[in-house]
Amino acid sequence: MSYERMPAVYLGHGAPPLLDDEGWTSELASWAAEMPRPKAILVVSAHWESVPLTLGATADATPLVYDFYGFPERYYRMTYPSPGAPELAVEVAALMPDDESVHQLPDRGLDHGAFVPLMVMYPDADIPVLQMSMPTLDPERLFALGQRLRPLRDEGVMVMGSGFLTHGLQFLRDWRTDAEPPGWSRDFDDWAADTFARGDVDDLMAFRDRAPGMPYAHPTVEHFAPLFVALGAADDPEAPPETPVDGFFYGLAKRSIQVA
């Protein structure tokens, strides 16, 4: 079977309650339907930082990592028994330079940064999924990591960075799903939209110092960091990306992009 070349994506995954939001789920489902069907998916989630670079979920139907707290019990009973991707793990390891150690945790399951969006985009759980840790939060190093992963796209592998465009949870005061976005969230989202349109990768990498709304938009930066893996995997990181999802949820920006 031949596979089409896959795009690279950066998406807002959110907590499990996003699965109950019809607007967000319909956007994600429509986005998935418009893309070629991937042979496999390589996920870099905001919720897994590990040194050295580590590959997990290589075994079939690995139990999920329920890395969230205080939600109704039903969210802890969710399953996503996707096939493992041991062959992809071998390919990823082979793409790394000699000075980039690669560790494998075959039984480390998908965390919610991976399985929440995948439950919507590919609900049949029939596509092999491999999760890769972030060995650093440095934008330049993550960008270089994405560049090494770029050849996988020719083999039908989707490179997916999963985070959230703004993530200042501790600064939210209105906990309605349709809450008015705080100024820092809207300002950061507007800046990101403009910076994407200008293809200014340098500005994006310097977001800590240049983006309005900081540090409130990202008091810690792990939810923005996966973006740089996706940008590195792009053919032309300076080309304006598609924006299949935008808007806000609980006042946080869920802007998501697709790069060719």
Side-chain angles (χ1 to χ4, degrees):
M1 180 183 295
S2 62
Y3 290 87
E4 293 185 54
R5 190 166 192 269
M6 290 301 301
V9 304
Y10 167 75
L11 53 77
H13 62 253
L18 256 71
L19 294 169
D20 301 324
D21 183 77
E22 292 184 4
W24 182 80
T25 55
S26 64
E27 288 174 326
L28 274 186
S30 296
W31 184 10
E34 292 168 0
M35 287 189 285
R37 178 178 170 83
K39 178 183 74 173
I41 301 170
L42 176 61
V43 183
V44 179
S45 162
H47 296 282
W48 193 17
E49 299 172 51
S50 182
V51 179
L53 186 151
T54 307
L55 303 174
T58 52
D60 290 345
T62 304
L64 301 180
V65 177
Y66 301 100
D67 55 338
F68 43 84
Y69 308 94
F71 293 109
E73 179 62 27
R74 62 190 175 91
Y75 293 123
Y76 301 91
R77 295 195 297 267
M78 295 185 300
T79 61
Y80 192 76
S82 57
E87 297 88 357
L88 179 56
V90 172
E91 289 189 69
V92 170
L95 291 171
M96 296 301 116
D98 292 340
D99 60 353
E100 182 77 72
S101 298
V102 179
H103 184 56
Q104 297 212 24
L105 286 178
D107 298 327
R108 198 271 184 188
L110 303 175
D111 61 47
H112 80 271
F115 74 76
V116 167
L118 291 177
M119 287 179 72
V120 179
M121 299 174 78
Y122 304 103
D124 294 334
D126 56 353
I127 297 173
V129 180
L130 178 69
Q131 186 163 352
M132 182 175 71
S133 74
M134 286 192 293
T136 176
L137 295 177
D138 178 73
E140 291 188 5
R141 290 181 60 195
L142 291 172
F143 185 86
L145 178 59
Q147 288 178 309
R148 297 184 193 112
L149 299 173
R150 188 183 302 161
L152 297 174
R153 297 176 49 205
D154 289 324
E155 302 173 21
V157 177
M158 177 190 291
V159 176
M160 175 187 291
S162 177
F164 223 74
L165 195 81
T166 61
H167 201 253
L169 290 171
Q170 61 264 55
F171 303 117
L172 297 180
R173 298 294 179 265
D174 186 345
W175 290 95
R176 295 174 299 159
T177 57
D178 60 348
E180 182 68 20
W184 49 262
S185 186
R186 189 176 293 282
D187 289 348
F188 189 97
D189 181 61
D190 288 344
W191 171 85
D194 176 68
T195 309
F196 288 143
R198 291 186 287 107
D200 196 333
V201 176
D202 289 339
D203 253 13
L204 289 168
M205 288 188 176
F207 72 99
R208 293 177 192 253
D209 300 318
R210 299 182 186 178
M214 290 294 291
Y216 301 99
H218 290 285
T220 57
V221 300
E222 73 280 353
H223 276 75
F224 198 60
L227 165 70
F228 298 105
V229 178
L231 285 178
D235 290 337
D236 180 2
E238 296 182 346
E242 297 181 39
T243 306
V245 177
D246 59 11
F248 298 85
F249 191 75
Y250 288 107
L252 300 176
K254 56 189 176 76
R255 181 177 301 276
S256 303
I257 65 166
Q258 173 179 325
V259 297

